[in-house]
Amino acid sequence: MDVHIKPFEDITGVDLRETTKESPLKDFKLPRGMFKKEDECFLNLDNWDTQHWETILENRLLSVERNFGYAMFYYYKGIPDDEWYMSPGKQGQSVQYYPHFEEKQYSNFYNFTYFVDMFFLQSSTVFETIGHLLFRLFNFKINEDNPRDQISFNNSIFKLKKIHRSLYKDLNKVKYSNDFKLGVRMRNDIAHNHPPYRIDSGITKSEGLVSIGVGDYTTTNEIKKAMIGFLRSIRATFEVLEKHLPLKASANLK
């Protein structure tokens, strides 16, 4: 069957208010001023720069929501991949992949995976921007020659251990949650490994033996669940930050 993909089909008619209704960030408003140094004067340039980065964070958060909404639009147009292979196939093949797809559903699948990529990559920028803001707020040392002193979400949490124990503990709860770990793993597979929405080669090697079978694949329903879980972890992170920040000049950081 010849397949003709229609990129971004019907996208101008998407109602994002409807397609984002399952998002844990639905109607969520980003708290402003969490990263402000309360003991600094109004004209402090650090605070001006922080406001700039908070705007970047807000824009990235909006991008994550939009990409989720567009992905869900194509998901609900129909991608019948719960049974993603059949053996034997309908015409006697040893294996038939996507046996229930029609041409229009290949377009839905293509468009869904495009926005899945954008969603997970943009979601990671939200966490890394939070790391940048925490580095600035706490004046953490930056040294590009030392991996521990490079700006990142993970490094910012690590550095909090000695100076703000309660914030460190609460952020670690998010970091080690199943929602966060699955989201990070899916993002890493998209960026660095085999995309989860593509059937892999099915080739495995063990103790010098090579075997060929049906490749691994993550269904769109499973990807949707991982996306919603990653959104939950983003919201949980902001709830932790709102609980502990902004810092007061007299705060007891224990």
Side-chain angles (χ1 to χ4, degrees):
M1 177 180 70
D2 292 332
V3 176
H4 302 282
I5 300 297
K6 297 179 181 179
F8 310 126
E9 184 179 16
D10 300 327
I11 198 168
T12 56
V14 176
D15 181 356
L16 288 174
R17 293 170 298 181
E18 177 66 20
T19 59
T20 58
K21 64 184 181 181
E22 295 176 273
S23 169
L25 292 176
K26 180 71 172 176
D27 300 323
F28 175 77
K29 295 188 182 300
L30 179 66
R32 297 303 297 260
M34 290 187 297
F35 302 95
K36 181 181 178 182
K37 297 178 181 179
E38 293 290 332
D39 57 339
E40 299 285 352
C41 67
F42 173 74
L43 294 177
N44 184 273
L45 294 180
D46 280 348
N47 278 339
W48 283 15
D49 193 45
T50 294
Q51 290 174 11
H52 167 77
W53 277 98
E54 285 186 332
T55 299
I56 290 176
L57 177 60
E58 186 173 34
N59 289 337
R60 287 175 170 173
L61 197 61
L62 289 171
S63 180
V64 167
E65 272 288 271
R66 286 195 298 268
N67 286 312
F68 175 76
Y70 289 131
M72 290 303 99
F73 172 70
Y74 291 108
Y75 173 85
Y76 282 111
K77 278 173 70 73
I79 305 173
D81 67 338
D82 284 340
E83 184 180 32
W84 51 272
Y85 78 93
M86 184 181 292
S87 182
K90 294 178 180 179
Q91 297 176 349
Q93 314 96 311
S94 58
V95 178
Q96 180 182 358
Y97 294 112
Y98 305 124
H100 307 296
F101 273 40
E102 298 176 5
E103 181 171 320
K104 63 182 179 180
Q105 289 153 345
Y106 280 100
S107 282
N108 295 340
F109 180 66
Y110 171 88
N111 288 312
F112 171 79
T113 59
Y114 174 86
F115 288 108
V116 165
D117 279 358
M118 296 299 294
F119 170 86
F120 279 104
L121 296 176
Q122 282 289 325
S123 294
S124 69
T125 70
V126 169
F127 287 105
E128 297 311 309
T129 305
I130 291 171
H132 189 111
L133 284 160
L134 289 172
F135 259 73
R136 297 191 66 81
L137 176 61
F138 291 99
N139 297 317
F140 289 143
K141 176 183 177 182
I142 301 173
N143 179 2
E144 292 300 326
D145 295 326
N146 185 341
R148 278 294 187 190
D149 292 332
Q150 296 173 8
I151 296 176
S152 73
F153 180 64
N154 286 338
N155 281 348
S156 68
I157 296 176
F158 176 79
K159 288 177 176 290
L160 286 168
K161 185 174 183 178
K162 293 182 178 179
I163 67 167
H164 200 320
R165 187 79 177 180
S166 56
L167 178 55
Y168 164 79
K169 287 182 176 180
D170 285 349
L171 286 176
N172 258 333
K173 289 178 183 177
V174 176
K175 178 181 172 181
Y176 290 106
S177 68
N178 289 332
D179 284 341
F180 182 83
K181 289 191 293 185
L182 178 57
V184 168
R185 183 164 68 248
M186 196 158 287
R187 180 267 174 198
N188 289 342
D189 284 342
I190 288 169
H192 304 294
N193 303 313
H194 196 282
Y197 48 75
R198 297 280 181 241
I199 303 169
D200 71 22
S201 66
I203 298 174
T204 59
K205 297 180 180 180
S206 178
E207 298 180 354
L209 298 177
V210 180
S211 60
I212 300 176
V214 175
D216 288 331
Y217 173 76
T218 303
T219 67
T220 53
N221 184 48
E222 292 174 288
I223 292 172
K224 174 194 169 188
K225 291 178 182 178
M227 294 170 78
I228 291 174
F230 214 25
L231 289 169
R232 276 197 301 264
S233 69
I234 291 175
R235 179 157 191 155
T237 299
F238 283 122
E239 289 172 349
V240 167
L241 294 171
E242 189 175 18
K243 173 185 174 182
H244 293 282
L245 304 177
L247 298 175
K248 303 300 182 183
S250 61
N252 184 13
L253 305 183
K254 293 182 180 179

